[in-house]
Amino acid sequence: MGGVTAAHAADQPEVTYAGSVSDDLGILQISARSAADITGITAHLVSYSSQTEVAKIGTKGFRLFSGTRQDGNWRTMKPLKLPEFGSYRIDVEVTDADGGHVLRQSAGDFAYFVAAQFGALTVDRTAIDREHRDVQVEGTLYGRWPTRQVEPLAARQVEINVDYLTQTTVTTDAQGHFTASVRLDDAAPVQAVFGMDGGTPTVLYGESEPVQIGVDQIPTRFTSTVSATDVDFGQPVTVSVKVEQKTANGWVPLAGRFGGVLFGPDDAQTDLVGRFTTADDGTFTMEYTPWQGGYFQLALDTRDDPFLHAGTGTSDVVHVHRASKFTAFTAARSDAGQVHAEGLIDFPDGWTPAWIYVHVQYSPDGVNWSTLTTVEASWGGNGNDFAADLDEGGAGYYRAVFDADDNFQAATSEPVFVPASA
């Protein structure tokens, strides 16, 4: 009597989507929402060429597929059967429980076509090697009709892709079967692709699952020697290396190959030593002056030859010993008869040990020494100082000794003669 209010008009049903189900083209899907339960859906399929209605699907032809009746997706109960393949305009009518009604023209497109499907792609080898790079590919192309009928597709063009690029094109036989041979130069996926070849009926694009082809690589190895495993800081080290590849006749030199050398105590802390090229006998040498202990890390560069394994190797550990020296040492007898020894030790090459243990030694003749005590030196402002009081210090010679370890050289102070007590 008074017309529809603005609030009521805002609650009218809304069609949010209409179209084919992508993997089941014969099924029509409608998405709609409303403030009240949706009670009626009618879809009209209209030919684009003739602008005539070719099919009408009422509420009984749909089921709620997901969501709710106020906001859901409805699909047809079964695939539609249309007289011709093609794309159709979808007009949709929706009614809700409050009497709201909407007609949305051109709500979407219904794709009524045959879809390409592939059976499992098979290959005669899962990996290539240097002498065997050809791969035989075999498969079957099927068409899935909108009615869900699946049949082989005969006399259709199939592209065989290697690493997603077309290498060859073959034609299916009467059973939809095809075979092809492709050549690989590296590990790559192999895939069959159908790209709408213009045949009848029109078949939509499809592709097989890719099959990954690997590479059987030739093993490689490094053997190495170093000129010294213990060097003083600033002293160079030479590493001599031989690079080989494994053949049916055993290990043979790998000539003219490139690679790189690092040096360090572990994989995370390394310095670049340089790059190498192997001689005809597979060897190379390299000199390096390490600033810390570690080992040479050897790596082969095979980016230009995927059939060679990018082997790695390591040398023996090289210990770098930094200098240590005593800058002062004294020993004297006190009035109480004890011998008091003290001194300073320095590490001039820039590093200092975490703990500095100094042995105070005694010799009655300056030849045969024994350790009386071990004390820890620590920074005292002018150097790393230490001191010791020796209760049983007899007449003779006294000195301080610092033992070598993996990072520091040994050091010995000048001996000091202490006479017996008066």
Side-chain angles (χ1 to χ4, degrees):
M1 293 174 59
V4 178
T5 65
H8 189 193
D11 293 337
Q12 293 298 299
E14 179 184 0
V15 178
T16 57
Y17 172 82
S20 303
V21 175
S22 60
D23 58 354
D24 197 0
L25 293 181
I27 297 295
L28 172 62
Q29 176 173 279
I30 306 293
S31 297
R33 60 191 176 202
S34 181
D37 285 356
I38 292 173
T39 57
I41 295 178
T42 301
H44 306 268
L45 301 187
V46 180
S47 170
Y48 278 108
S49 59
S50 66
Q51 293 299 309
T52 59
E53 184 176 294
V54 299
K56 178 180 178 181
I57 304 95
T59 302
K60 292 183 178 180
F62 288 95
R63 64 184 178 93
L64 182 62
F65 179 76
S66 63
T68 67
R69 291 196 170 274
Q70 292 184 6
D71 187 355
N73 301 308
W74 284 260
R75 290 185 178 183
T76 51
M77 303 286 287
K78 57 185 179 180
L80 304 184
K81 293 183 180 181
L82 302 181
E84 295 180 355
F85 295 110
S87 182
Y88 296 89
R89 190 185 84 210
I90 307 171
D91 298 338
V92 180
E93 294 181 75
V94 175
T95 303
D96 66 19
D98 287 343
H101 177 267
V102 68
L103 168 60
R104 180 179 173 186
Q105 293 184 319
S106 298
D109 291 320
F110 185 69
Y112 196 76
F113 294 100
V114 178
Q117 288 186 346
F118 284 93
L121 201 66
T122 59
V123 294
D124 67 338
R125 58 189 307 116
T126 57
I128 59 172
D129 57 39
R130 184 168 286 166
E131 287 74 35
H132 307 92
R133 305 188 191 187
D134 293 327
V135 178
Q136 300 299 315
V137 183
E138 189 172 352
T140 302
L141 174 64
Y142 298 95
R144 189 180 194 272
W145 266 247
T147 57
R148 294 178 177 165
Q149 179 183 359
V150 177
E151 296 180 0
L153 290 176
R156 308 307 287 254
Q157 300 295 303
V158 174
E159 299 171 353
I160 308 300
N161 288 3
V162 175
D163 203 14
Y164 305 104
L165 297 175
T166 300
Q167 189 174 116
T168 187
T169 301
V170 293
T171 303
T172 61
D173 63 16
Q175 287 75 45
H177 185 260
F178 60 89
T179 59
S181 178
V182 291
R183 187 171 180 83
L184 279 67
D185 294 319
D186 202 345
V190 174
Q191 189 176 32
V193 175
F194 176 81
M196 297 181 65
D197 60 359
T200 303
T202 298
V203 179
L204 300 182
Y205 174 91
E207 58 185 36
S208 73
E209 289 293 325
V211 177
Q212 181 65 41
I213 305 297
V215 173
D216 288 331
Q217 294 181 318
I218 299 170
T220 58
R221 72 177 182 183
F222 289 90
T223 54
S224 64
T225 58
V226 292
S227 57
T229 56
D230 289 276
V231 296
D232 290 341
F233 180 72
Q235 179 181 346
V237 178
T238 299
V239 60
S240 302
V241 184
K242 186 171 187 178
V243 188
E244 298 173 292
Q245 62 178 335
K246 191 174 185 180
T247 69
N249 298 319
W251 292 95
V252 299
L254 193 55
R257 297 304 309 183
F258 306 97
V261 180
L262 303 174
F263 185 91
D266 52 49
D267 293 341
Q269 187 179 1
T270 56
D271 295 325
L272 176 63
V273 176
R275 292 188 60 80
F276 65 82
T277 302
T278 58
D280 290 343
D281 61 355
T283 63
F284 71 89
T285 60
M286 200 168 287
E287 185 179 88
Y288 178 65
T289 302
W291 60 275
Q292 63 177 336
Y295 52 88
F296 291 95
Q297 300 175 29
L298 317 165
L300 194 62
D301 186 348
T302 61
R303 285 174 292 182
D304 63 337
D305 189 349
F307 297 100
L308 270 181
H309 175 65
T312 59
T314 56
S315 73
D316 290 337
V317 173
V318 178
H319 299 292
V320 177
H321 303 278
R322 292 174 179 253
S324 59
K325 65 177 182 180
F326 289 95
T327 57
F329 178 74
T330 60
R333 193 175 300 279
S334 68
D335 294 340
Q338 288 182 319
V339 172
H340 177 79
E342 63 180 47
L344 295 171
I345 185 170
D346 185 31
F347 301 92
D349 287 337
W351 284 11
T352 301
W355 295 275
I356 309 170
Y357 295 111
V358 176
H359 308 299
V360 179
Q361 296 185 340
Y362 165 76
S363 172
D365 53 9
V367 177
N368 300 304
W369 296 89
S370 60
T371 297
L372 298 179
T373 189
T374 299
V375 294
E376 183 177 355
S378 59
W379 181 254
N382 295 317
N384 302 290
D385 54 39
F386 60 92
D389 291 311
L390 309 171
D391 292 333
E392 298 179 2
Y397 297 89
Y398 292 81
R399 71 179 185 183
V401 174
F402 175 76
D403 290 337
D405 60 17
D406 288 343
N407 299 302
F408 293 92
Q409 302 169 22
T412 302
S413 71
E414 290 293 328
V416 175
F417 181 79
V418 178
S421 57

